[in-house]
Amino acid sequence: MNKQLEKLYLPFAKADTANNPFCTAEIGEKYKDFFDTYFSTSVMTSQEYDTATTKFFAFATAVEENAFEVGFYTAVQLLIGGGQE
């Protein structure tokens, strides 16, 4: 993500949950279900749990950033008339 686009993205990503458009009730439920199923500390050691959650959040953040970037450039194309036949 380029620096200019990052300046648009970061305020959303760093907002508290109530003001963060990336944090919806549906996503929260899916997150809880996933962690309750696959990241139970009764199945993993504390170190394994920390490693797994760190990697999971890195993945989730990369997906979120990519989706923001794709959405932004799609909106720009629509605003300048791209994609119209």
Side-chain angles (χ1 to χ4, degrees):
M1 181 179 299
N2 71 44
K3 296 292 181 191
Q4 293 298 86
L5 193 53
E6 192 174 89
K7 286 180 183 179
L8 294 172
Y9 168 76
L10 285 178
F12 290 114
K14 293 184 181 222
D16 59 37
T17 302
N19 296 311
N20 186 330
F22 301 117
C23 295
T24 65
E26 181 183 8
I27 290 171
E29 289 172 20
K30 290 185 184 302
Y31 160 83
K32 183 181 179 327
D33 183 49
F34 182 85
F35 269 77
D36 288 350
T37 303
Y38 298 105
F39 287 86
S40 170
T41 54
S42 64
V43 176
M44 298 179 165
T45 67
S46 178
Q47 185 176 4
E48 289 171 328
Y49 179 86
D50 289 345
T51 300
T53 56
T54 298
K55 288 183 178 188
F56 175 81
F57 284 122
F59 166 75
T61 299
V63 169
E64 185 177 280
E65 288 175 357
N66 186 65
F68 183 85
E69 188 170 8
V70 168
F72 177 83
Y73 287 117
T74 299
V76 168
Q77 285 300 311
L78 290 171
L79 288 170
I80 63 173
Q84 297 178 6
E85 311 231 357

